[in-house]
Amino acid sequence: MPFRKCNNVIEEVSAIIDGEAGAIACARFFGHLAMCDQCTRYFEQFKEVRAAAAHVGPEDLPTDFDHVMEDVLARIAEESKG
Amino acid sequence: MTRAAAAAAALDIEGLKAGDSGAWREVMSLHGPSLLGYATRMLGSRTTAEEVVQDALVKAYKAIDRFDGRASLKTWMIRIVHNRAIDELRRNKRYVDLPDDDPEASYFDGRGKWAEGFPTPEKHIDAKRRLAQVREAMDGLAHSHREVLLLKEVHGLSTDQICEALEISPGNLRIRIHRARKALRAAVVDPGTEA
């Protein structure tokens, strides 16, 4: 039976993913996962959603920025005159 | 050094401060699409995002003398766009701050062990459909969650850069990132339980 409480273990997931957890914390975290299928499932879901989030941007980034840029330059030129 | 990083490093800051339109054109070409992408996701409207980015860039132009180089130019501009976007959301009473509810409160019993049925078993979903789910879920998150996820996961800013852009401490950011990721996971995997 896992020694640590599951609700405490999952609070460490971000620190583990971001490489901010120390060696002892990592050992305890993965030691718990080795004995707990539900925390393992949660960890896998967490990583998968996070990995997908990294791909939200590029597809959606606008490519037609030229008109925004021209409007800004026109406004700057206008303000410079004033 | 990546091509983008090399281009950023080569930006002519003195030219920007002197009001050189070529230098401004270059900086907008380099960072503009990213700024517009961030504003669009925060505001949920491409048209409003364009107005916000335009205002922010004009503000950056006027304030460039105060840019001291401690933060990168990109971070400095993100901060201006972010603040202008938050103003816009608040003006229209659309800004959603940190939710009080924990989306995972129902996951555990009183002893801190998983309650029956959690975490929800997942069906296999292909990557394209998962991405669509995540995109939709992200658009539905509180803005205070969305902003940190966009900057960290989507735009790949470092902890220091995000702290600089949002004017928050690293400790605060760590907590917000974790809560935001939990909210995103819940919205994708356990829709209906998210805050």
Side-chain angles (χ1 to χ4, degrees):
Chain A
M1 181 177 170
F3 178 69
R4 302 189 67 215
K5 288 182 178 177
C6 299
N7 62 339
N8 292 332
V9 169
I10 67 163
E11 289 304 320
E12 296 168 8
V13 168
S14 279
I16 295 287
I17 286 174
D18 290 334
E20 292 172 347
I24 293 172
C26 282
R28 290 170 68 184
F29 179 86
F30 288 106
H32 177 96
L33 259 58
M35 295 183 287
C36 180
D37 290 342
Q38 286 165 298
C39 283
T40 300
R41 187 198 299 164
Y42 179 92
F43 185 51
E44 293 302 320
Q45 289 174 355
F46 203 93
K47 285 194 298 183
E48 190 197 343
V49 170
R50 188 220 169 205
H55 296 285
V56 165
E59 186 182 303
D60 297 341
L61 284 180
T63 53
D64 54 335
F65 190 69
D66 288 356
H67 69 285
V68 176
M69 193 160 73
E70 293 309 323
D71 286 349
V72 171
L73 291 171
R75 278 177 62 179
I76 288 172
E78 195 62 33
E79 299 215 9
S80 299
K81 279 188 215 163
Chain B
M1 186 181 279
T2 65
R3 197 181 305 169
L11 278 174
D12 179 9
I13 301 295
E14 290 311 312
L16 295 176
K17 290 189 175 182
D20 177 63
S21 65
W24 277 97
R25 196 175 286 274
E26 195 177 344
V27 78
M28 287 181 209
S29 162
L30 185 63
H31 298 312
S34 179
L35 297 173
L36 188 53
Y38 176 74
T40 303
R41 282 257 162 248
M42 281 296 284
L43 295 159
S45 158
R46 171 67 187 265
T47 307
T48 311
E50 286 189 5
E51 291 169 10
V52 161
V53 171
Q54 283 180 9
D55 287 351
L57 288 172
V58 172
K59 188 172 180 184
Y61 176 86
K62 290 178 178 173
I64 191 66
D65 278 340
R66 297 203 294 275
F67 174 69
D68 57 13
R70 276 185 302 171
S72 72
L73 187 66
K74 179 182 177 182
T75 306
W76 184 74
M77 295 181 92
I78 284 177
R79 183 164 69 194
I80 296 174
V81 169
H82 171 78
N83 288 340
R84 176 67 186 81
I86 297 299
D87 284 348
E88 182 68 21
L89 288 164
R90 287 195 168 130
R91 194 168 62 82
N92 294 302
K93 298 183 173 28
R94 287 179 54 223
Y95 182 75
V96 182
D97 207 341
L98 283 176
D100 294 328
D101 300 338
D102 181 356
E104 299 177 345
S106 59
Y107 286 9
F108 300 98
D109 62 21
R111 292 172 300 162
K113 292 173 66 178
W114 290 99
E116 198 172 336
F118 288 103
T120 308
E122 253 193 303
K123 297 170 192 156
H124 175 72
I125 292 175
D126 66 57
K128 197 172 171 186
R129 201 167 143 220
R130 169 64 82 218
L131 180 57
Q133 277 184 331
V134 169
R135 184 179 290 122
E136 186 182 342
M138 196 178 280
D139 287 346
L141 292 180
H143 292 101
S144 47
H145 282 156
R146 210 183 311 174
E147 65 200 22
V148 291
L149 286 178
L150 285 171
L151 295 177
K152 185 167 181 74
E153 318 285 31
V154 179
H155 292 271
L157 265 62
S158 68
T159 297
D160 286 349
Q161 287 174 318
I162 300 172
C163 290
E164 182 77 33
L166 301 183
E167 299 176 276
I168 59 176
S169 69
N172 188 338
L173 177 62
R174 269 195 295 277
I175 292 167
R176 285 177 62 178
I177 284 284
H178 184 59
R179 288 183 182 167
R181 286 172 174 164
K182 286 196 338 177
L184 184 65
R185 193 212 68 88
V188 170
V189 181
D190 296 319
T193 63
E194 74 269 26

